[in-house]
Amino acid sequence: MPARPTVPTPLQGGERVCHRPNMHKVFTVLGIALLAAGTAWGQTNLWTNPIIGADPGLTNPYTTGDVVAPNITVSGIGHGSDVIGRTGNDTFNTRHWNSASLNTNDYFYFTLTPDSGYALNFSSFAYSASASGTGPTSFAFRSSLDGFTADIGSPSATGTTISLSDASFQGLSSGVTFRLYGWGASSSVGTWGIQDFAFSGTVSSTAPTGNYWSGATNGGGSGVWTTAGTNWATNTGGAGRGAVQG
């Protein structure tokens, strides 16, 4: 069967954009749905988005389609202040990646924050993307844990899977932001868009195990056993908490 021809659309900012059925995206969406319904190799999806809709890049951040694990909140996918949203269906499409070197305002960002009493344990970040012929040619992936200084993995224009299994990405009880930088576009109208993404890992409880006495100062008087307490030794004089039951 002959390949279905591409259909050119009108010029967008000086560049002609062709659209064809995105079978890669179809299979990616199916994969995300299957992973969201269960686990994959002992991991769950912390946050995924297949990014399906009309002109997602014109909304910053874009949250439609987010699938988020319990006990965490997310920012939606967004972009830095020097990046400009562009039209384009089923992709968080953007332009203005034409800095000669890494510009600290040219990036996509993703923020994940665990609820109180929980921690994030990352496994990987995977994404699919596309760039125009005059789009960015160099890329970096970094995190807020070190102030966005160290590169993580080897991102590309079309996407990849980046390991986040390092110990620094485990047991995070506060929010973390990841940035995907791009630069080196030959034109300010050169585009780069994220088509889908997934953060994998687990969410764990940071509450202490066992039951604790929650009563009067120094553990005396009346009170109740609770799982929300802290160990006796961490409270001055044992005020308000007691030892583990049993």
Side-chain angles (χ1 to χ4, degrees):
M1 182 180 294
R4 182 177 297 182
T6 58
V7 181
T9 61
L11 293 177
Q12 297 184 4
E15 290 200 344
R16 185 179 300 280
V17 179
C18 292
H19 297 284
R20 69 177 73 231
N22 192 340
M23 294 308 296
H24 170 77
K25 171 155 245 174
V26 171
F27 289 114
T28 299
V29 171
L30 289 173
I32 287 175
L34 289 172
L35 288 175
T39 60
W41 299 287
Q43 300 293 325
T44 62
N45 274 333
L46 298 173
W47 174 23
T48 68
N49 194 325
I51 309 183
I52 298 174
D55 301 326
L58 300 183
T59 302
N60 184 40
Y62 184 75
T63 60
T64 302
D66 279 344
V67 179
V68 184
N71 303 309
I72 64 175
T73 58
V74 299
S75 61
I77 180 176
H79 61 69
S81 59
D82 283 357
V83 177
I84 300 172
R86 287 293 305 274
T87 57
N89 294 342
D90 302 336
T91 181
F92 190 69
N93 202 27
T94 56
R95 68 175 181 86
H96 210 261
W97 301 95
N98 55 313
S99 294
S101 57
L102 188 151
N103 182 327
T104 56
N105 292 317
D106 291 355
Y107 56 80
F108 296 115
Y109 72 82
F110 313 81
T111 300
L112 303 88
T113 305
D115 294 347
S116 177
Y118 292 89
L120 296 170
N121 307 283
F122 288 96
S123 173
S124 64
F125 168 65
Y127 71 99
S128 299
S130 62
S132 67
T134 57
T137 56
S138 297
F139 311 91
F141 187 63
R142 300 179 177 182
S143 85
S144 59
L145 295 183
D146 62 0
F148 306 104
T149 58
D151 291 340
I152 308 166
S154 301
S156 70
T158 57
T160 189
T161 298
I162 297 174
S163 174
L164 297 175
S165 60
D166 186 81
S168 60
F169 300 112
Q170 312 306 313
L172 303 181
S173 56
S174 57
V176 58
T177 298
F178 294 94
R179 289 179 180 176
L180 181 58
Y181 294 90
W183 66 96
S186 59
S187 169
S188 63
V189 298
T191 62
W192 186 31
I194 302 298
Q195 297 172 326
D196 52 66
F197 65 88
F199 284 91
S200 296
T202 61
V203 183
S204 58
S205 172
T206 59
T209 58
N211 293 322
Y212 293 78
W213 177 256
S214 179
T217 301
N218 297 318
S222 61
V224 295
W225 287 102
T226 174
T227 58
T230 56
N231 192 283
W232 175 291
T234 64
N235 294 269
T236 302
R241 293 287 193 268
V244 179
Q245 183 183 31

